[in-house]
Every structure is written in structure tokens, then in C-alpha cells.
């Protein structure tokens, strides 16, 4: 048995989305690496995956933050400097 077994206690009304179990939880029941949140409402937590997809798409298409992908860089290196 571990000497220090910490259980993260959430505040009442905090909602999380567990990635491992694909469920909404009130208070953190699963470890932090396996959840999104906290969210203000159960409804908001239930849409966590949609929210993450939307944010990822915004980030991937934001010209200020979009770097070349590894595939694009590899293609340019294969071309041996074509277009110069």
C-alpha cells in the first residue's frame, strides 16, 4: 500500500470529460492525464470532444501559428531544392 495516496478532490459543480471511459464526471474521478476539464456545466463537458476538435481545427488553420508539417518538409528535402 502506498504511503501517500492522493485523491484529487474537485469543487462542487465542476464537470470533467473522462477520455478513458468516455463519460462525464462531476469532480475529477479519473487521473488528470485521462480527462478534459473542468467545465462549468454537465452539458459543456458532454461536448468536450467536439470542442477539442473545433479548437484543433482553428489552430491547424490559423496562419499565424501554422508551421509546415513534417511531411511537407520531407517532400521539399526529397526534391533536392526544386524551384530554386
Amino acid at each position: 500500500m502506498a504511503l501517500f495516496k492522493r485523491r484529487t478532490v474537485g469543487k462542487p459543480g465542476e464537470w470533467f470529460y473522462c477520455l478513458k471511459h468516455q463519460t462525464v464526471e462531476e469532480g475529477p474521478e479519473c487521473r488528470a492525464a485521462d480527462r478534459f476539464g473542468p467545465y462549468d456545466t454537465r452539458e459543456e463537458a458532454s461536448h468536450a470532444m467536439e470542442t477539442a476538435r473545433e479548437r484543433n481545427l482553428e489552430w491547424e488553420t490559423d496562419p499565424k501559428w501554422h508551421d509546415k508539417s513534417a511531411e511537407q518538409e520531407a517532400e521539399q528535402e526529397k526534391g533536392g531544392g526544386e524551384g530554386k
Side-chain angles (χ1 to χ4, degrees), residues 38-55:
Y39 296 96
D40 292 330
T41 65
R42 180 180 187 85
E43 179 72 17
E44 196 177 340
S46 70
H47 295 289
M49 294 303 293
E50 293 169 36
T51 302
R53 274 191 289 276
E54 290 169 4
R55 289 178 180 168

Side-chain angles (χ1 to χ4, degrees), residues 6-76:
R6 276 200 254 167
R7 175 136 174 104
T8 306
V9 179
K11 297 174 187 170
E14 283 187 330
W15 294 91
F16 296 84
Y17 182 80
C18 176
L19 299 166
K20 185 176 180 182
H21 301 111
Q22 298 179 353
T23 58
V24 174
E25 307 170 340
E26 185 173 14
E29 294 178 19
C30 293
R31 66 190 198 112
D34 292 332
R35 67 177 190 253
F36 286 155
Y39 296 96
D40 292 330
T41 65
R42 180 180 187 85
E43 179 72 17
E44 196 177 340
S46 70
H47 295 289
M49 294 303 293
E50 293 169 36
T51 302
R53 274 191 289 276
E54 290 169 4
R55 289 178 180 168
N56 285 345
L57 183 59
E58 286 176 20
W59 177 81
E60 289 168 358
T61 58
D62 185 340
K64 292 184 291 188
W65 301 105
H66 187 67
D67 293 334
K68 291 181 185 176
S69 71
E71 289 178 13
Q72 289 173 331
E73 289 178 4
E75 286 178 18
Q76 283 185 342

